[in-house]
Amino acid sequence: MDPAQVFANINWLAVVVAALAAFPIGALWYGPLFRSAWMAATGVTFEQGRQANPLKLYGSTFVLNLIISISLAMFIGKGNVHAGLFAGFMAGATFVATALGVTSLFEFKSFKYWAINAGYQVVFFTVAGAIIGAWH
């Protein structure tokens, strides 16, 4: 595999849109869907959220999601929406969710903590993969 060719085949607009997709998904997931359960599982409070530096928090999150989306684009290659959905789901479920599971076990976190966070990542990776695959 030629790295230059891999990067040349990336649809950069799709990568940026996929990275940005994490924000509305996260707002829904960690908002009305699982806010109370997530806050209870993590111990995060509304006050901590209000005290956070939004530029640092959301800027860093965007950069990390951009890295995720670039990596997904390299895996998906010249695939289509179906390949993107499959690659995104499999990466989220088998790489990310399981890695979070191992970390959660050694941090003695609850199953609920793992399920909420891993579930979000699986959904984000699946949507990002679909976006990237659809725009190829």
Side-chain angles (χ1 to χ4, degrees), residues 96-113:
V96 181
T98 56
L100 284 172
V102 171
T103 301
S104 295
L105 287 169
F106 280 93
E107 291 179 350
F108 304 101
K109 300 293 186 181
S110 68
F111 175 80
K112 185 189 305 184
Y113 170 92

Side-chain angles (χ1 to χ4, degrees), residues 66-99:
L66 198 57
I67 293 167
I68 290 167
S69 298
I70 291 167
S71 179
L72 270 176
M74 288 189 280
F75 280 110
I76 294 166
K78 292 187 180 267
N80 56 29
V81 68
H82 301 292
L85 272 168
F86 182 74
F89 175 77
M90 292 305 291
T94 64
F95 295 149
V96 181
T98 56

